[in-house]
Amino acid sequence: MCGIVGYIGPQHATDIVIGGLRKLEYRGYDSAGVALLGVDRLLTERATGKLVNLERKLHSVEWDDADARGYSIGMGHTRWATHGGVTEANAHPHVSMNGRVAVVHNGIVENAIDLRHELLATGAVFTSETDTEVIVHLVAGYMTAGMLFERAAHATFARLRGSQAIVLLSLDEPDKIIACRIGNAGGVVVGIGAGEMFLASDIPGILEHTRRIAFLENQEVAVIQRSGFRVRTINGGEVSKTVTNIPYDMVSAEKGEYRHFMQKEIFEQARAITDTIRGRVDFATGRVMLDALNPLNGGLLPSKIFTAACGTSLYSAMVGKFLIEGIARIPVEVEHGSELRYRDPLIQSTHAVLGITQSGETADTLAAMAEGREKGARIWSIVNNIGSQAQRVSDGTIAMRAGPEIGVCSTKTFLASIVDQYLLACALAQARDGHSGASFALAQQLSHLPSLMSQVLDKNSIYAELASEFHDREHFLFLGRGINYPIALEGALKLKEVSYIHAEGYPAGEMKHGPIALIDERMPVVCICIKDAVYEKMLSQVEQVKARGGKVIAVATEGDTEIAKRADRVMYVPVTHPLLSPVITAIPMQRLAYEMAVRRGCDVDQPRNLAKSVTVE
Ligand code: F6R
């Protein structure tokens, strides 16, 4: 999704803005631009494609010394197209007809068509197909009519419908940046420095410069100057903001020895899970301690949990249903974040709505959580991005502790969120059962998990061999049953995201009801066939695939010689407790997808059309 960075202070703004946009690249984008305010000059540059194209353009700008010193206010934007194609004209910033006001924007102006007609009638000339451009014409129009910059900005914001973040600069008042947040689609964080100020759509964009951050909430407008910032509501009410100190390990945001972030993030999963568990289980007794999420509300457990999530986080939630129902015996309904609010769900005040989102900013998941809030349920979340919106609107949160995930495609946050749900399931059971029950022994099982994961991560040759054999296939099928069915879905999603091979995940028993028609000798079928309660059933699916000439790639338990006789290739994993097996079986899926993408020459860390943080509906 779009990224925004802004700067005002004594330094040259270009480097800070471009550096910040680079930190936000992981969110995904298709074009980029900057606006810089100098001494009586508003300079904008835009380019489609990667940031390097924009940088090339900026290098060819002829700065004279006075300019270079003067451009100490700037803002930049990476765009992920929603309204209008990927063209330079549609890239942000957009500038008013008189060349004095510039805007960058994240989100959607839902009433853009009406506003455009109104502006056209007053003589406005549009140079892009975007919804964003109406904003800059409105602000400039109000200023021409006599309003000062801030009043014109407020008057404009009041007219915008939809969820969005907006940042404005004006040559008429070249000592300030105005930023506004409306709804949930675009975050705005203000970074406080000494004699300089920063702003961004996400914390990583400015964290290199300051850890002192203030978050804008819905309907808030910040006026940012060198010496500080002040916030009002769009209606003009005073707002006092608290400043949060953000802890962050910049080192872990670098690629280190790895070729891609996705590869690095797959390989650091054992560590991520160690961090996720650390301090949360007393392994001597099996007691689980979740400080930031007290499962008891007034002494009562929720009678039902609705889990809302999207994409990979949804598949994590599907695993979580097995965990929470299996361990805590509380019914769970798993919902697509994008669907929940459109079916009048039967959520009650005795229920909990659990949002699972690594970014904490996914608009659909946030909307589902808001629906739960409206219906009186308690709101919980599992997030990786501390300080994100999902955390801030929750009554209780479990942090994934996976560390920054830069690859667009989720890997370590998937596993961390499964483990967090395992912890939650044990905590719920323990809150209800007191000092006895199976949950204590189950929590102790977690102590083995990181070393079991390391065993899967240490095996190297098979994945590259598989990629070399199957990289030219057009379709893949992934089959699993029970708690490993969501892992089949995740295997298919990972493969299509990073290698652009069409893949479908299916519950294995359903294969005979349709997908079996697709199977021929060109069709690889990945079967999760570990030694668990459904092992025999999975073997019979393997036979059905083989009988039709399909190529079986099995994920199987170490030492299983039977499967080796039936499958074409086997990816072995160690014996694991059945409820924790998805954390182990997911790793071969990730590694297979990664190797396939590398072999096919794909952009592993920034797959086409994808965004790390999907802040629009
Ligand atoms: C898949 C992927 C996406 C996200 C989805 C939800 O690799 O990254 O499917 O899982 O967009 O994102 P979060 O977890 O940030 O809500």
Side-chain angles (χ1 to χ4, degrees), residues 84-249:
V86 181
T87 62
E88 192 174 306
N90 287 336
H92 303 203
H94 294 285
V95 177
S96 59
M97 286 185 298
N98 65 7
R100 301 193 72 79
V101 182
V103 66
V104 296
H105 175 237
N106 180 6
I108 294 172
V109 183
E110 284 179 7
N111 54 337
I113 294 176
D114 290 347
L115 292 171
R116 197 176 174 108
H117 286 315
E118 176 190 318
L119 287 158
L120 284 169
T122 63
V125 178
F126 283 80
T127 56
S128 77
E129 306 156 293
T130 65
D131 52 338
T132 304
E133 199 181 340
V134 297
I135 300 173
V136 82
H137 292 311
L138 281 173
V139 177
Y142 286 128
M143 288 176 78
T144 308
M147 285 187 194
L148 293 176
F149 183 30
E150 279 180 53
R151 250 193 86 205
H154 278 259
T156 301
F157 300 149
R159 303 206 53 201
L160 304 178
R161 287 213 307 272
S163 274
Q164 53 213 295
I166 307 134
V167 183
L168 295 165
L169 291 179
S170 169
L171 251 185
D172 290 358
E173 297 185 37
D175 61 342
K176 62 184 65 150
I177 304 175
I178 299 180
C180 174
R181 172 170 164 196
I182 305 174
N184 286 331
V188 180
V189 299
V190 179
I192 296 112
E196 56 186 351
M197 297 288 291
F198 307 83
L199 80 91
S201 50
D202 302 81
I203 300 169
I206 52 177
L207 202 51
E208 194 181 338
H209 306 287
T210 179
R211 290 172 183 219
R212 301 187 60 224
I213 302 285
F215 299 92
L216 283 201
E217 300 295 341
N218 182 17
Q219 297 286 319
E220 288 181 353
V221 181
V223 175
I224 300 159
Q225 296 184 281
R226 283 181 178 75
S227 54
F229 73 109
R230 55 198 152 77
V231 177
R232 286 180 187 276
T233 61
I234 292 177
N235 295 335
E238 301 261 348
V239 179
S240 108
K241 301 301 290 181
T242 46
V243 174
T244 310
N245 274 307
I246 301 292
Y248 191 84
D249 173 11

Side-chain angles (χ1 to χ4, degrees), residues 425-445:
C426 292
L428 289 164
Q430 293 175 7
R432 187 194 46 225
D433 301 341
H435 294 287
S436 61
S439 66
F440 291 86
L442 284 171
Q444 286 167 321
Q445 286 289 330

Side-chain angles (χ1 to χ4, degrees), residues 70-82:
Y71 288 115
S72 59
I73 306 177
M75 62 186 183
H77 186 267
T78 44
R79 174 173 187 251
W80 190 79
T82 54

Side-chain angles (χ1 to χ4, degrees), residues 310-313 357-359 362 408-410 494 497 614:
C310 301
T312 288
S313 292
T357 162
Q358 65 76 26
S359 62
T362 298
V408 163
C409 161
S410 296
K494 286 287 91 90
E497 278 181 310
V614 184

Side-chain angles (χ1 to χ4, degrees), residues 346-526:
L346 298 174
I347 299 175
Q348 300 167 6
S349 58
T350 54
H351 297 161
V353 172
L354 169 64
I356 301 182
T357 162
Q358 65 76 26
S359 62
E361 300 291 351
T362 298
D364 288 322
T365 304
L366 290 171
M369 292 167 73
E371 178 80 18
R373 173 70 74 204
E374 204 163 284
K375 290 190 147 62
R378 73 192 84 166
I379 305 299
W380 293 341
S381 58
I382 295 180
V383 304
N384 196 42
N385 196 355
I386 297 304
S388 59
Q389 179 72 0
Q391 182 189 14
R392 287 184 284 130
V393 299
S394 297
D395 301 314
T397 296
I398 308 178
M400 293 183 194
R401 296 188 186 159
E405 189 175 70
I406 307 297
V408 163
C409 161
S410 296
T411 51
K412 58 181 180 170
T413 55
F414 177 56
L415 298 194
S417 61
I418 292 176
V419 172
D420 281 327
Q421 289 173 91
Y422 190 93
L423 287 165
L424 176 61
C426 292
L428 289 164
Q430 293 175 7
R432 187 194 46 225
D433 301 341
H435 294 287
S436 61
S439 66
F440 291 86
L442 284 171
Q444 286 167 321
Q445 286 289 330
L446 284 168
S447 67
H448 309 298
L449 196 55
S451 71
L452 293 169
M453 294 170 73
S454 299
Q455 287 175 40
V456 193
L457 293 166
D458 286 347
K459 284 195 200 342
N460 275 325
S461 56
I462 177 89
Y463 305 103
E465 285 166 24
L466 288 171
S468 131
E469 194 175 335
F470 293 107
H471 69 276
D472 61 343
R473 301 305 160 97
E474 284 166 21
H475 310 280
F476 261 70
L477 193 58
F478 288 74
L479 302 178
R481 276 193 108 118
I483 198 168
N484 277 296
Y485 159 51
I487 303 304
L489 293 172
E490 173 63 0
L493 181 63
K494 286 287 91 90
L495 188 69
K496 57 190 151 193
E497 278 181 310
V498 293
S499 71
Y500 314 143
I501 293 173
H502 168 245
E504 279 195 52
Y506 240 79
E510 288 289 303
M511 182 184 67
K512 57 188 175 294
H513 298 293
I516 201 163
L518 296 170
I519 293 174
D520 62 16
E521 54 295 335
R522 291 280 303 159
M523 174 68 103
V525 183
V526 179

Side-chain angles (χ1 to χ4, degrees), residues 527-542:
C527 299
I528 306 173
C529 226
I530 54 168
K531 288 262 175 101
D532 60 5
V534 291
Y535 174 67
E536 300 292 339
K537 305 276 176 208
M538 282 305 301
L539 278 189
S540 92
Q541 307 300 325
V542 168

